[in-house]
């Protein structure tokens, strides 16, 4: 049975960020994820996790200047020092929050990216993260949600992972992004199972709850189980009618949150 982590950047936004941990736990979640923790101290977040019996499944490295449109540094040529600083900050948080996976966003092509920089930075990141017992993961993202994003296809992510060649570099398989870019989700789940360390879900076309939209998630969850996946599935969707009301998808899809 899959384990689901509430994405606190998109869910429970009815309350302030630090209060979302309690809201997620009361709703039945045992795990959480979010985009960025850096507006709060690791001590504050750790206290909320512990008080609510939650595991932190995933968060992102600092992405550069988000307000100026930056969406990651891993593939940004000339920003290697900034990437290493971001990595060190993320690993410090990961250690304090007992989080075993961090996502390194690649950046935007029109900001100056290259495959060689991406590979070199990811190799450095994986080797540094290994000392913390942390996995680094990369995620193909569709160009509708983030125009110009460097990494779009699951096949590209696989090629990068193999080229880097570090065992603690893996795939963040976002089913919503895969459906928009390439489709053929069921075949891809089977094909990339060995590399997948974390799933994320939402249903196209509106990125809402998984029980309505293009994809049959009840069936896909069973397929993920069949692959032997034992990690977390992040609920990175935008609630259509409110977070708690939207959780009716759990029963409809025949799963449990915990």
């Amino acid at each position: 049975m899959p384990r689901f982590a509430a994405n606190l950047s998109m869910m429970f936004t009815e309350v302030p960020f630090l209060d979302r941990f309690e809201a997620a736990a009361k709703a039945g979640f045992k795990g959480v994820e979010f985009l960025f923790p850096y507006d709060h101290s690791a001590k504050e977040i750790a206290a909320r996790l512990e008080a609510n019996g939650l595991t932190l499944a995933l968060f992102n490295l600092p992405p550069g200047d988000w307000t100026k449109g930056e969406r990651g540094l891993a593939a940004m040529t000339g920003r290697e020092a900034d990437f290493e600083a971001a990595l060190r900050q993320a690993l410090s948080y990961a250690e304090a929050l007992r989080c075993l996976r961090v996502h390194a966003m690649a950046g935007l092509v029109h900001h100056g990216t290259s495959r060689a920089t991406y590979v070199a930075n990811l190799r450095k990141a994986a080797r540094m993260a290994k000392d913390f017992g942390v996995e680094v993961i990369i995620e193909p993202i569709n160009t509708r949600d983030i125009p110009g994003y460097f990494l779009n296809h699951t096949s590209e992510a696989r090629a990068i992972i193999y080229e880097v060649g570090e065992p603690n570099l893996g795939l963040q398989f976002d089913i919503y992004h895969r459906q928009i870019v390439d489709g053929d989700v069921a075949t891809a789940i089977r094909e990339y199972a060995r590399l997948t360390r974390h799933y994320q879900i939402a249903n196209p076309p509106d990125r809402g709850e998984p029980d309505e939209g293009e994809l049959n998630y009840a069936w896909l969850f069973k397929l993920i189980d069949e692959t032997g996946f034992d990690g977390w599935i992040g609920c990175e969707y935008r609630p259509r009618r409110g977070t708690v009301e939207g959780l009716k998808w759990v029963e409809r899809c025949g799963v449990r949150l915990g």
Side-chain angles (χ1 to χ4, degrees):
M1 181 70 70
R3 296 181 297 162
F4 295 93
N7 187 296
L8 300 186
S9 298
M10 300 181 76
M11 302 175 69
F12 301 103
T13 57
E14 299 87 350
V15 298
F17 178 76
L18 290 175
D19 294 335
R20 296 174 197 172
F21 295 84
E22 181 180 8
K26 285 183 176 179
F29 285 97
K30 302 298 183 184
V32 295
E33 64 175 29
F34 39 73
L35 292 180
F36 311 111
Y38 311 108
D39 286 341
H40 304 276
S41 72
K43 184 177 181 180
E44 286 180 301
I45 296 174
R48 301 298 174 119
L49 290 167
E50 184 175 357
N52 293 289
L54 294 168
T55 297
L56 179 56
L58 174 73
F59 64 92
N60 295 345
L61 272 66
D65 192 333
W66 192 269
T67 63
K68 293 182 178 179
E70 292 187 334
R71 295 296 182 265
L73 298 168
M76 296 280 287
T77 300
R79 300 288 296 280
E80 290 84 353
D82 292 336
F83 175 76
E84 183 171 339
L87 174 64
R88 291 186 184 279
Q89 185 178 14
L91 291 176
S92 174
Y93 269 79
E95 183 176 37
L97 302 176
R98 299 178 183 178
C99 183
L100 301 180
R101 292 181 181 90
V102 295
H103 170 216
M105 295 184 72
L108 304 181
V109 172
H110 50 282
H111 287 172
T113 55
S114 79
R115 181 188 177 96
T117 299
Y118 196 35
V119 169
N121 277 336
L122 290 175
R123 185 172 291 130
K124 175 186 288 187
R127 290 174 179 175
M128 289 175 61
K130 183 178 180 181
D131 293 337
F132 292 79
V134 169
E135 289 185 322
V136 178
I137 52 181
I138 58 174
E139 175 190 24
I141 296 176
N142 78 78
T143 55
R144 187 172 78 196
D145 283 58
I146 303 184
Y149 194 72
F150 179 80
L151 183 67
N152 310 127
H153 299 277
T154 323
S155 59
E156 294 170 346
R158 175 172 58 189
I160 292 290
I161 290 167
Y162 285 160
E163 185 171 348
V164 171
E166 296 293 335
N168 63 324
L169 179 67
L171 175 66
Q172 181 173 324
F173 191 136
D174 188 305
I175 292 174
Y176 163 80
H177 291 310
R178 168 73 195 200
Q179 173 67 4
I180 291 171
V181 175
D182 290 313
D184 204 15
V185 169
T187 298
I189 287 172
R190 295 187 183 97
E191 183 176 354
Y192 296 95
R194 191 172 70 84
L195 295 178
T196 301
R197 302 292 179 264
H198 188 82
Y199 283 97
Q200 289 181 322
I201 59 171
N203 219 330
D206 64 350
R207 204 171 188 174
E209 287 91 344
D211 58 337
E212 295 180 12
E214 296 176 7
L215 295 171
N216 180 355
Y217 268 101
W219 187 79
L220 291 176
F221 291 146
K222 293 177 183 177
L223 177 59
I224 290 171
D225 263 351
E226 289 173 10
T227 69
F229 179 75
D230 63 356
W232 292 94
I233 297 178
C235 299
E236 195 183 41
Y237 62 77
R238 297 189 184 98
R240 297 182 178 98
R241 291 171 290 274
T243 303
V244 174
E245 182 180 354
L247 289 174
K248 293 174 183 176
W249 68 264
V250 176
E251 183 177 355
R252 291 171 181 165
C253 290
V255 295
R256 297 192 303 265
L257 290 179

